């Protein structure tokens, strides 16, 4: 359950950052490609989650 909550927290953080970037770009007339931003968000979420899990494993040892 702890890993699930960490995953959800990371996902929410990346989603909020992505929304802020989209709003900023739309206000300045820059249109972002949804496929690229979705893929980038997914990769960032996975990397941040793996980093959190790695830190947890290092603390246990």
């Amino acid at each position: 359950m702890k890993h699930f909550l960490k995953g959800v927290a990371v996902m929410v953080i990346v989603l909020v950052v992505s929304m802020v970037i989209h709003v900023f770009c739309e206000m300045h007339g820059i249109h972002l490609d949804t496929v690229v931003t979705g893929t980038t968000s997914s990769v960032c979420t996975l990397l941040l989650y793996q980093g959190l899990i790695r830190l947890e494993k290092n603390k246990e040892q």
Side-chain angles (χ1 to χ4, degrees):
M1 186 68 171
K2 189 167 52 169
H3 292 290
F4 177 73
L5 293 176
K6 284 183 182 182
V8 170
V10 169
M11 182 184 66
V12 168
I13 290 169
V14 170
L15 182 63
V16 168
V17 170
S18 177
M19 289 166 93
V20 168
I21 291 170
H22 275 273
V23 168
F24 178 78
C25 289
E26 286 294 324
M27 288 174 59
H28 290 85
I30 302 168
H31 300 287
L32 301 174
D33 185 20
T34 56
V35 175
V36 174
T37 55
T39 305
T40 305
S41 296
S42 300
V43 170
C44 288
T45 302
L46 288 171
L47 291 175
L48 287 172
Y49 176 73
Q50 290 296 325
L52 284 175
I53 298 303
R54 185 175 297 137
L55 287 174
E56 181 181 321
K57 287 181 182 179
N58 288 340
K59 286 182 181 179
E60 289 177 358
Q61 294 177 356

